[in-house]
Amino acid sequence: MNDEASRPTELSVEQLTSLMSESDVKRAAWLFGRLIEEEDELVRANLLKPYEDRVPQVLRVLPPARAAALLDLLPIGKVKRALFGNYTRIPDDRLRAIIAAMAPEQGARLLEAMSIGVDAPREMARVLAGLPQAALVPLSQTLHPAAVIRLLTELEPQEQQQVYVRLGETAAVAVLEALLAEENLVYAAWAAHLLQALEPSARAAIEARLGENLREMLARGSACGMVDPLPTQALREVRLFLEEAPPETAVTVLREMHPSRAVQTLRTIPAARGAALLQDLAAQDPDLAADLLEAMNSRILLRPPRADTAPAWWLGDCPAAAILEAMDLTQPASQALLRALRPEQLELILQHLSPQRQADINGILETAQSGHLPFSLDVLAVGRGRRKSRRVDGGFRWVHIEEQLDVGARVKPVIIDLLEIELEQVRLEAWMAVDEKTAMPVSQAAEVFEEYRRTGRRPGGSAFAHMGLVQLSRAVEAAGAMAAINGNFYFDYGHYINGITLGIDMAQVPGLFFGDPIGWFVSNGTELIPPAFNRAAGVATSQGGFYIDRVFMTDITLPSGRRLRWDDLNRPKAPGRVIAYNSLFGYRTERADTHVDLAIARGHIW
């Protein structure tokens, strides 16, 4: 590559686009890959400002076929980064056009990579929903069914059926077999639901290709059908009935309910009541009780599936663990339920249980669990590195460490600077960059910045000044401090807008501001942010001690002076009980006539 293009970030978007359009495809791909690497380096050094990323600007201008030709020659990590890892969003129509023009094998690898985690599947599913059949069928020939299922779970039922119909017979059969292999009634009902979307001839052909066991599971799922979730009011009524009805009556209703609605209801009732109902149900039908318990969990795909490896799942949300914690394991019905659980599902649930309850279950089943997760992850390899240190003013010691971190894909340089201090000889002070005057509510942040982010234009300096952005080096100089560090993780307006795009309307959540620290924040003995999140805090005492531990509130004092304690944390609302919620529960609670929600932020009740 010539000297003119040796530093792509020094070129204008017009120059980059011209070079990538006119050079041969290999040279252009090298240039594009180098641009991604340089922008990654700038991001790690905190030198790339929002709206200045050039990767999305280039992809907005390059013809989709040319962009796809370049991406076909890059590692899949860089492809994922180029299309989805920028600050400025690439329009969905442009993303679909590029993916449709990519080689099918490369496109399938991208979909599999984007099926991992929490946010990535949501973004990919949105794009997948509008991908034309002519592009989807070639992709599906090599796409692992586990990745398809993970992406389908992020779509509405109607969108699920539309994508499934466009997959083609080979991929449709693979998805059905993967669903039915779960041997779970809820998954079987979903498989039957998808199958009904096909033309009768295609449906008959697929049913003929399935084995006898799978056809039996499919017939079992077809008998259940597929129904929409219960509306809020109906769900509340069913939940109250299951909580208050005599156990025999409640179990009869639970057994006769559609499995998906039974699961939906079980997720909302107290764990102790759910444990009692499932225990009584297991006395009659342990397989059904096990199916419902397994289906209550929300699974996250953790490792890219390949033809020669099984997909690795983890339970991102595991209400089944709370039920097993509350269940009386001495009862034969509970033990029958445990034995009806599939071993791989039980092992996932065990990771969320207390050590004592794990030991109890292992003793009942007479198993020797390894104690390790049921999948393998690459271990980071660290080299010998270099370390140097010197004394600085005040008798402190500065340590500089240069390390090489091998993460498998490539070796990354890591630089760590440490300042060793005696806490008795220094005063630590916590400052908030965003105060009451500069705080920007989420709804306003979304209104101000969405247009800029959508078009790729940079907002004016006044918008950033309004949000109270502070340059750390200037803050250190103004305070006369020796050193400073960004101590808290804080809310980012980009995350707000992403959340809205992904269907989480954070602008409707009261009391959220851009720049608010996440976690406990105390400055000069004054508590500015309560410990409302399940995060650790660092505490330096006047006696020179330093501690790191999780901190959480036990009660609050209302403006009236009344002290309010809560009875439980992150549980469904129950009459007469005060419940506290943090971010582990979600962004909103369910409405209830018996309760009033108080959102506490920045020292106020919203």
Side-chain angles (χ1 to χ4, degrees):
M1 186 63 65
N2 56 40
D3 293 339
E4 181 185 11
S6 59
R7 293 288 299 175
T9 50
E10 297 176 358
L11 303 177
S12 67
V13 174
E14 292 75 15
Q15 291 173 315
L16 287 168
T17 306
S18 176
L19 284 171
M20 293 182 194
S21 300
E22 298 172 2
S23 304
D24 67 77
V25 67
K26 289 186 177 180
R27 290 164 61 88
W30 177 90
L31 176 62
F32 194 40
R34 183 59 188 150
L35 174 64
I36 296 171
E37 292 174 359
E38 288 186 11
E39 288 201 346
D40 280 344
E41 293 170 1
L42 292 174
V43 168
R44 283 194 292 271
N46 200 26
L47 296 176
L48 185 64
K49 299 177 180 178
Y51 311 100
E52 290 186 355
D53 42 5
R54 302 184 183 186
V55 170
Q57 297 183 55
V58 169
L59 290 176
R60 284 170 179 254
V61 178
L62 276 180
R66 181 65 173 181
L70 304 186
L71 294 174
D72 282 342
L73 298 180
L74 295 180
I76 202 61
K78 286 187 178 179
V79 177
K80 178 181 175 181
R81 160 67 177 80
L83 296 178
F84 295 97
N86 308 288
Y87 185 83
T88 305
R89 285 205 316 271
I90 301 173
D92 288 350
D93 289 344
R94 169 66 59 156
L95 287 172
R96 292 182 184 115
I98 294 174
I99 294 172
M102 291 171 61
E105 296 79 6
Q106 185 78 332
R109 284 192 287 268
L110 173 63
L111 264 65
E112 290 177 351
M114 290 295 291
S115 69
I116 300 169
V118 179
D119 293 334
R122 295 171 185 165
E123 294 201 44
M124 190 71 249
R126 188 184 68 244
V127 175
L128 180 68
L131 206 62
Q133 184 174 20
L136 189 56
V137 170
L139 286 174
S140 66
Q141 301 304 313
T142 57
L143 190 59
H144 197 287
V148 180
I149 293 172
R150 180 66 183 91
L151 296 175
L152 287 179
T153 58
E154 298 294 339
L155 299 175
E156 295 298 326
Q158 185 176 0
E159 293 176 319
Q160 292 174 0
Q161 286 191 332
Q162 292 172 353
V163 172
Y164 183 72
V165 169
R166 298 200 304 268
L167 282 175
E169 183 177 324
T170 302
V173 169
V175 170
L176 274 181
E177 290 178 334
L179 280 171
L180 296 174
E182 296 284 346
E183 298 181 355
N184 182 288
L185 188 56
V186 178
Y187 288 98
W190 190 26
H193 167 68
L194 292 178
L195 189 64
Q196 295 303 315
L198 302 178
E199 294 293 332
S201 58
R203 187 163 62 242
I206 289 178
E207 288 177 339
R209 289 180 57 182
L210 297 176
E212 186 62 32
N213 292 339
L214 294 182
R215 277 199 296 271
E216 289 179 4
M217 279 296 298
L218 189 59
R220 187 181 173 203
S222 299
C224 296
M226 190 71 176
V227 297
D228 294 329
L230 284 168
T232 301
Q233 182 59 34
L235 177 61
R236 183 181 300 117
E237 294 173 357
V238 175
R239 182 194 70 203
L240 290 176
F241 175 82
L242 291 181
E243 288 182 8
E244 299 174 359
E248 300 81 3
T249 305
V251 169
T252 300
V253 171
L254 190 66
R255 189 173 186 179
E256 293 176 352
M257 286 178 66
H258 187 280
S260 63
R261 287 183 171 175
V263 168
Q264 183 187 7
T265 308
L266 284 169
R267 288 175 65 94
T268 64
I269 66 178
R273 178 65 171 177
L277 292 179
L278 284 179
Q279 180 176 299
D280 291 346
L281 177 61
Q284 305 173 27
D285 190 343
D287 289 330
L288 176 58
D291 280 353
L292 297 180
L293 188 68
E294 290 180 6
M296 289 175 66
N297 300 319
S298 298
R299 300 192 308 170
I300 297 174
L301 190 61
L302 283 181
R303 184 177 62 208
R306 291 287 181 266
D308 56 341
T309 61
W313 298 89
W314 180 239
L315 300 183
D317 180 26
C318 188
I323 286 181
L324 289 184
E325 288 280 5
M327 191 171 287
D328 183 0
L329 298 183
T330 64
Q331 297 299 315
S334 299
Q335 298 175 13
L337 187 154
L338 290 175
R339 292 189 174 91
L341 290 171
R342 288 171 294 151
E344 65 272 16
Q345 289 295 315
L346 177 60
E347 189 169 1
L348 287 176
I349 297 173
L350 282 173
Q351 309 300 325
H352 295 261
L353 297 175
S354 64
Q356 182 58 52
R357 184 54 43 138
Q358 290 183 30
D360 293 342
I361 292 176
N362 288 333
I364 291 171
L365 301 179
E366 298 180 353
T367 60
Q369 297 291 341
S370 64
H372 300 291
L373 299 180
F375 50 83
S376 61
L377 298 175
D378 292 334
V379 177
L380 302 180
V382 180
R384 300 183 64 175
R386 294 189 300 170
R387 175 186 175 116
K388 57 183 179 181
S389 63
R390 63 180 175 85
R391 293 284 176 179
V392 295
D393 292 341
F396 305 137
R397 192 160 68 101
W398 168 71
V399 182
H400 180 79
I401 301 173
E402 296 180 4
E403 190 56 84
Q404 299 292 322
L405 191 64
D406 186 353
V407 297
R410 66 187 182 96
V411 176
K412 294 183 178 181
V414 177
I415 297 177
I416 303 171
D417 285 289
L418 302 175
L419 186 64
E420 295 184 354
I421 61 177
E422 295 293 336
L423 290 176
E424 297 89 346
Q425 303 178 30
V426 69
R427 185 168 71 93
L428 302 180
E429 186 173 350
W431 282 9
M432 285 185 63
V434 179
D435 56 26
E436 293 284 348
K437 295 181 179 179
T438 60
M440 178 178 286
V442 180
S443 55
Q444 185 179 345
E447 295 172 0
V448 170
F449 290 97
E450 172 59 15
E451 176 64 20
Y452 292 106
R453 194 160 182 261
R454 183 179 61 82
T455 60
R457 294 185 295 113
R458 178 184 174 84
S462 60
F464 287 100
H466 185 185
M467 294 185 299
L469 295 184
V470 173
Q471 188 172 356
L472 189 61
S473 59
R474 293 182 180 178
V476 173
E477 183 179 353
M482 169 178 280
I485 186 172
N486 286 321
N488 276 64
F489 182 72
Y490 52 86
F491 283 117
D492 178 349
Y493 67 90
H495 295 148
Y496 290 144
I497 298 172
N498 277 337
I500 294 170
T501 302
L502 298 172
I504 304 171
D505 192 356
M506 295 185 182
Q508 300 301 316
V509 181
L512 292 186
F513 291 83
F514 164 77
D516 263 355
I518 294 179
W520 195 29
F521 194 94
V522 178
S523 180
N524 287 332
T526 302
E527 183 180 76
L528 301 178
I529 300 294
F533 293 85
N534 191 33
R535 298 178 64 86
V539 179
T541 68
S542 57
Q543 292 75 31
F546 190 81
Y547 308 92
I548 297 178
D549 203 351
R550 292 188 182 274
V551 184
F552 191 72
M553 296 183 292
T554 59
D555 57 81
I556 59 171
T557 301
L558 300 178
S560 64
R562 178 190 173 192
R563 192 177 185 185
L564 183 65
R565 288 182 175 272
W566 34 84
D567 304 302
D568 216 334
L569 171 68
N570 289 341
R571 295 292 187 188
K573 295 171 182 174
R577 298 181 68 80
V578 178
I579 314 297
Y581 298 96
N582 62 16
S583 59
L584 296 181
F585 182 85
Y587 290 101
R588 58 177 58 87
T589 66
E590 189 182 63
R591 293 184 181 275
D593 296 335
T594 57
H595 287 71
V596 175
D597 287 351
L598 302 179
I600 304 169
R602 307 190 67 82
H604 302 286
I605 295 178
W606 299 80

